[in-house]
Amino acid sequence: MPTAAIAVIGDEILSGKYADENAPFLIGRLRAIGCDLRRIVTLPDEPEVLADELRRLLGFDHVLTSGGVGPTHDDRTFEGVAGALGVPLELHPGLLALLDRSGLAQTETNRRMCLVPRGAELVYGRSRFPVVRARNVWVFPGVPSLLRKKFDDVAEHFAGVPISTARRVTSGRELDVSAGLTAVSARFPGVAIGSYPRWDGDGTRERELVLTLESRDEAALAAAVAAIDDLLAAG
Amino acid sequence: MPTAAIAVIGDEILSGKYADENAPFLIGRLRAIGCDLRRIVTLPDEPEVLADELRRLLGFDHVLTSGGVGPTHDDRTFEGVAGALGVPLELHPGLLALLDRSGLAQTETNRRMCLVPRGAELVYGRSRFPVVRARNVWVFPGVPSLLRKKFDDVAEHFAGVPISTARRVTSGRELDVSAGLTAVSARFPGVAIGSYPRWDGDGTRERELVLTLESRDEAALAAAVAAIDDLLAAG
């Protein structure tokens, strides 16, 4: 299964001026197409920080960035990506041509939007407006409606084998089953088991316990579910 | 102003089984009390990954973790914090006493919840249930109602000097003012200026542009706002 990391970029998210909608959208989409999301980082508009942090994510199959692209002084994502990859920024002929086709003048500001890491490719997917990919870093805009559209244009590049899941809800307390859960988890290493207590609104009483099971191996999943059912019946 | 980083911990967030509510809550609260949030990372329940990632955050004044504490096999936050700090896990006498006071038996499972990094302190704040702090890492539960309560109990520890802000909305396009914004930004280095286009729902047309200004220096903020007003009036 392919792995991915998301970098949400922008001082406006860290300072709470805007709530990030893009990571929640991407989490759901990546899961649906079988891509294993391993990290999300939310970063300020500082090229050196971006370079350091993005460099650490390059070991995942795909790095998806959100935000920090555009014509203003606080749009520093491409500088950060270039720093992470150790390449300079260059005017991309395909993006310059796109300016012309879009009827935008080649002002300094507009040309700035065509400065991308050397070697970057334009991935068109299903749209006539491309997504910029530099090595394995896919650069998406921060505006949620634009990001959603562009992600769906190129989503097939991230697809893997979807996971099978199961879920049990019990009225028991987590403490009463945790030893049993640890044992079941050890018996089925290919099945990821999660345990999530739900509390009353005022946080004083455990209302119920949600158990989740996930695996790409359906037989192992079924066996682990049976073991959990036995555990809950015994409790 | 104190700096902070948030680590949201849990496979259930990365896989989309649960939407994180804690980072959005903490973003708003930290901003309100004048604490400068510099990073958010969302991490899997893997002690080695947690240790590596948390270690990189120790340079901020405060690191707030959310999730991965409790009695089950997937609760690995304390192991990760101990790894980041380079100390072993130890049974904390104060937490063992709390088990007794709460009427919980000293089973292996319950005692596991009392294993915290050597040197950890219990910070009581306004509640009789403490928050565990290991050096500058504050460990909060993942259950949103519990996290909110516990954060508010100890929030005074994170407080700094609040920021003054201003905001302007214009119908102009970002491209038309971006050169002017860059100039204003250069004149007022102590003022953070953000530029956020809003698009129509279908992502085809720029509807308006929101400009935000922030500073701890009120005089500089007022001067920058005046410069922005001149820029918009000239456009």
Side-chain angles (χ1 to χ4, degrees):
Chain A
M1 181 145 72
T3 57
I6 296 171
V8 176
I9 297 169
D11 294 339
E12 73 277 19
I13 307 294
L14 289 169
S15 65
K17 277 183 292 191
Y18 283 85
D20 171 50
E21 302 173 28
N22 292 333
F25 168 82
L26 292 172
I27 288 171
R29 281 291 207 277
L30 290 171
R31 178 175 175 77
I33 62 179
C35 184
D36 187 20
L37 178 61
R38 305 289 300 154
R39 298 279 189 289
I40 308 168
V41 295
T42 305
L43 304 172
D45 297 305
E46 298 168 17
E48 300 76 20
V49 172
L50 294 175
D52 283 348
E53 299 284 339
L54 292 172
R55 191 178 299 117
R56 302 180 65 251
L57 303 177
L58 296 176
F60 298 110
D61 293 323
H62 307 290
V63 180
L64 288 70
T65 74
S66 150
V69 292
T72 60
H73 64 283
D74 58 356
D75 293 315
R76 314 299 290 266
T77 295
F78 281 125
E79 284 172 72
V81 175
L85 298 175
V87 299
L89 289 174
E90 281 182 355
L91 284 169
H92 193 292
L95 289 171
L96 290 170
L98 198 65
L99 269 191
D100 286 341
R101 288 211 305 279
S102 308
L104 292 170
Q106 297 228 357
T107 59
E108 195 190 322
T109 302
N110 288 351
R111 286 170 65 91
R112 190 173 182 280
M113 293 195 293
C114 302
L115 267 179
V116 297
R118 175 183 291 172
E121 296 167 80
L122 307 186
V123 181
Y124 278 85
R126 301 182 296 177
S127 165
R128 63 200 184 92
F129 292 101
V131 177
V132 176
R133 176 178 63 189
R135 207 174 310 167
N136 60 336
V137 182
W138 299 74
V139 178
F140 291 97
V143 176
S145 57
L146 297 179
L147 176 134
R148 288 194 288 267
K149 184 186 241 189
K150 279 183 175 289
F151 177 85
D152 287 341
D153 283 344
V154 299
E156 63 186 308
H157 291 271
F158 310 114
V161 179
I163 300 181
S164 299
T165 64
R167 183 181 172 103
R168 291 292 185 268
V169 180
T170 167
S171 59
R173 290 193 312 165
E174 187 174 38
L175 273 176
D176 301 329
V177 295
S178 57
L181 284 180
T182 301
V184 174
S185 183
R187 269 177 62 203
F188 300 98
V191 180
I193 302 179
S195 164
Y196 309 104
R198 284 182 174 165
W199 292 67
D200 282 339
D202 61 357
T204 54
R205 209 174 57 85
E206 204 174 317
R207 187 158 47 83
E208 61 187 13
L209 180 65
V210 179
L211 302 174
T212 62
L213 298 91
E214 302 185 316
S215 183
R216 263 160 285 152
D217 176 344
E218 294 208 10
L221 181 70
V225 168
I228 293 283
D229 285 342
D230 288 348
L231 174 69
L232 297 181
Chain B
M1 179 148 68
T3 57
I6 296 170
V8 176
I9 297 169
D11 294 339
E12 72 276 18
I13 306 294
L14 290 169
S15 66
K17 277 183 292 192
Y18 283 85
D20 172 50
E21 302 173 29
N22 291 333
F25 168 82
L26 292 172
I27 289 171
R29 280 291 207 276
L30 290 171
R31 178 176 175 78
I33 62 178
C35 184
D36 188 19
L37 178 61
R38 304 290 297 152
R39 299 278 190 287
I40 308 168
V41 296
T42 305
L43 304 173
D45 298 304
E46 298 168 20
E48 301 76 21
V49 172
L50 294 175
D52 283 348
E53 299 283 339
L54 292 173
R55 193 178 298 118
R56 301 181 64 252
L57 302 177
L58 296 176
F60 299 110
D61 294 322
H62 306 290
V63 181
L64 289 71
T65 74
S66 151
V69 292
T72 61
H73 64 281
D74 58 355
D75 293 315
R76 313 301 292 266
T77 294
F78 281 125
E79 284 172 72
V81 175
L85 297 176
V87 299
L89 290 174
E90 282 182 354
L91 285 170
H92 193 291
L95 289 171
L96 290 170
L98 198 64
L99 270 191
D100 287 340
R101 287 212 305 279
S102 307
L104 292 171
Q106 296 227 358
T107 60
E108 196 191 321
T109 301
N110 288 351
R111 285 169 66 91
R112 190 172 183 280
M113 292 195 294
C114 301
L115 268 179
V116 298
R118 176 184 288 170
E121 298 167 79
L122 307 186
V123 181
Y124 278 86
R126 299 183 297 177
S127 165
R128 63 199 183 90
F129 292 102
V131 177
V132 176
R133 175 179 63 189
R135 208 174 308 167
N136 61 335
V137 183
W138 299 75
V139 178
F140 291 97
V143 176
S145 57
L146 296 179
L147 176 133
R148 288 194 288 268
K149 183 186 242 187
K150 279 182 175 290
F151 177 84
D152 286 341
D153 283 343
V154 299
E156 63 186 306
H157 290 272
F158 310 114
V161 179
I163 300 180
S164 299
T165 64
R167 183 181 174 103
R168 290 292 185 269
V169 180
T170 167
S171 59
R173 291 192 311 165
E174 188 174 37
L175 273 176
D176 300 330
V177 295
S178 57
L181 284 181
T182 301
V184 175
S185 183
R187 268 176 62 202
F188 300 98
V191 180
I193 302 178
S195 165
Y196 308 103
R198 284 182 173 164
W199 292 66
D200 281 339
D202 61 357
T204 54
R205 209 175 58 85
E206 203 174 319
R207 190 158 46 84
E208 60 187 13
L209 180 66
V210 180
L211 302 174
T212 62
L213 298 92
E214 300 184 316
S215 183
R216 263 160 286 151
D217 176 344
E218 293 207 14
L221 181 70
V225 168
I228 293 282
D229 286 341
D230 288 347
L231 173 68
L232 297 181

